[in-house]
Structures are given as structure tokens and as C-alpha cells.
Amino acid sequence: MTAETHKKPGLETLRAAISRLEGHSDRRRKMLPFGVREIDGRLPGGGLALGALHEVAGGGNDALHSAAAGQFCAGIAARTRGKVLWIVTRQDVFAPSLKQVGLSARRTIFVEASSDVDVLACFEEGLRHGGLGAVVAEVARLSMTASRRLQLAAETSGSLGIAIRRWRRQTDAADFGQPTASVTRWRVSVLPSAPLPVPGVGRPRWLLELIRARAGECADFEVEACDAKGRLAPCSPIADRLSLPAALADRPDQEAAGQRRASA
């Protein structure tokens, strides 16, 4: 047996100790795939890590209202098992909109907190409980220290933690650029809905920006919003074709493009 063999156990022990100090878990995390190849392919492990903290914010005016961002989070939470704890500071969560993306009110426990400090306390306690499928909390400020505590709590219990970053003033949204311990960071912006061949409003569309992914890459995705089972879908070019008049749709693409330019 060589001296190198004797040293190896000590080296592995040291690496494990450093990993624990950095807040990393040695357990292999379970994943929650989105079911969209383009998104899952960009995420380490092929999906959203369970037992971890994730951040989501709305783009533009949705940074204040968090309507699309909230539905995105609800669609994720709907695909977990167990009750979902949803913590807010303002009583403006519209339960039917959550049900529209698969999160039933029967599964959801709503908690109102008076401040960000109370939100973070409830957030951490919910993640440490271990009996919840997901904990979603609306919070404006999220420091590195607070996010690390939430990340460790999620790792310990295996519950999914989602922090919806929501602000009262547009200028406060600059805080979203500050470093945190979250595994992923997303921004959800509203796009024009899919056009239909008949009068009406099509399925909503979102621009998903994966701003940060630990051990992964940043990317942008245009998707159709969550359906009644909480699942996203890639934007289909067929919908754009159906929006054209039938006479143009049957002609070659070049001729149809010329007709559109002429009409403009």
C-alpha cells in the first residue's frame, strides 16, 4: 500500500468538510424536469433541483405585480408532492389564477406576514419542516446570509424553495442583481399571446430568462404559459402560420411575405 493511498481518505474528508462549509450537500438531488427539452438541457441534472432554493422575478411592470412570475412558480409547485406553503406580505394573490396552472387551493396554505423579516422566518421554518412539497415566499430583499440559511434548510428537508422577488418600486428591482445562494435565478416577462385563426385570445406566452444556474449556463426561452397541469410548452411556429389568411397560407412563403409587405 503506497503513501498516496494512505493520504486519499484524509483528502476526501477535507474536501467533504470544505463542501459543508460552503453550504453544498453531498446528497444527490432529485430533479423536477420542465418537460421542455430546450430548458431541461440547460439545467444541470436535466431539471429544477428539489431540496434547493430558486429565485424568480417578473420583468418590466411584473416586477411589481408578479402575476406571470407567480403563475410560473405555481406551475412548478403544482408538480411537486404534498402541501404548498405560500407566504405573502400583501393580500392580492388571486387563487383562481393559481388553479389555472394546476395549483389547487386545497393543497395551498396561505400565510400573511407583516414584513420581509417575518417572511424569511416563515420561509426557513417551512423549509425545515420537511413535510411540504414546496415553499413559495414573496420577498423584496434577500441577502447572501438569509439565502444561505434558506438553501441549507431546503437541502436538509428536501423541500423545494422558491423566492418570488417582488418590489414596491421599480427602482428597488436593482437588488435582483445582488449575489445570493440560490441554485437558479429566473425572470419572467409577458409576451403577446399566440394568434388564433378565429377571434379570441390564445394561450399566454412568456419570455423565460435563466439568469443564473449553478454549474450551468444562462439562456432565454420563449414558451407558452403553464397549462392546467403546471406544464410549459415550447412556442409553436404553427400558431403563427394559422394566423395568416387561408389564401396566403397555401401560397409559397416568399409570395406570402410579399403580400404582407404590400399590405403594410
Side-chain angles (χ1 to χ4, degrees):
M1 187 176 289
T2 64
E4 184 179 356
T5 306
H6 282 292
K7 292 179 181 178
K8 188 174 181 180
L11 181 60
E12 294 300 327
T13 302
L14 180 60
R15 285 175 176 170
I18 293 173
S19 180
R20 286 194 297 271
L21 288 173
E22 291 178 341
H24 300 159
S25 174
D26 290 333
R27 294 184 303 176
R28 187 175 181 85
R29 288 197 184 101
K30 295 181 180 179
M31 298 293 168
L32 183 68
F34 282 98
V36 179
R37 183 179 58 185
E38 292 79 2
I39 301 178
D40 293 334
R42 292 279 186 165
L43 295 170
L48 205 63
L50 299 175
L53 174 67
H54 306 272
E55 286 181 80
V56 180
N61 290 332
D62 204 48
L64 308 181
H65 308 302
S66 296
Q71 281 201 314
F72 174 65
C73 297
I76 294 172
R79 294 185 291 112
T80 63
R81 294 183 178 181
K83 295 285 187 179
V84 175
L85 181 64
W86 197 292
I87 309 165
V88 300
T89 55
R90 284 172 274 183
Q91 296 181 359
D92 58 358
V93 177
F94 190 51
S97 71
L98 305 187
K99 185 177 181 180
Q100 187 179 17
V101 294
L103 185 58
S104 169
R106 294 182 178 180
R107 285 188 57 199
T108 311
I109 304 170
F110 293 102
V111 173
E112 183 185 2
S114 58
S115 66
D116 273 2
V117 174
D118 293 336
V119 169
L120 292 173
C122 295
F123 200 174
E124 183 178 350
E125 190 66 26
L127 288 174
R128 291 193 184 281
H129 182 271
L132 299 169
V135 182
V136 182
E138 297 180 4
V139 61
R141 293 190 175 275
L142 185 63
S143 66
M144 175 61 79
T145 301
S147 64
R148 184 167 290 174
R149 291 179 63 91
L150 295 171
Q151 173 63 23
L152 290 173
E155 288 181 356
T156 301
S157 67
S159 296
L160 176 69
I162 305 177
I164 301 180
R165 305 296 304 278
R166 184 181 179 187
W167 302 273
R168 294 184 182 274
R169 294 183 298 272
Q170 193 72 43
T171 54
D172 294 337
D175 186 64
F176 196 49
Q178 298 301 315
T180 65
S182 59
V183 174
T184 64
R185 178 180 285 176
W186 304 80
R187 181 159 49 217
V188 185
S189 302
V190 177
L191 296 175
S193 63
L196 297 175
V198 295
V201 178
R203 184 171 173 177
R205 287 180 172 182
W206 296 333
L207 171 63
L208 294 184
E209 298 173 75
L210 178 56
I211 299 174
R212 179 182 183 272
R214 186 184 296 175
E217 300 178 358
C218 300
D220 296 345
F221 313 97
E222 290 189 11
V223 298
E224 294 184 348
C226 298
D227 62 13
K229 295 184 178 180
R231 296 193 176 278
L232 299 169
C235 286
S236 173
I238 297 177
D240 296 325
R241 186 173 177 84
L242 288 175
S243 66
L244 298 175
L248 292 181
D250 293 335
R251 297 180 185 180
D253 292 341
Q254 188 174 9
E255 184 181 351
Q259 290 278 357
R260 289 197 298 274
R261 285 195 296 268
S263 61

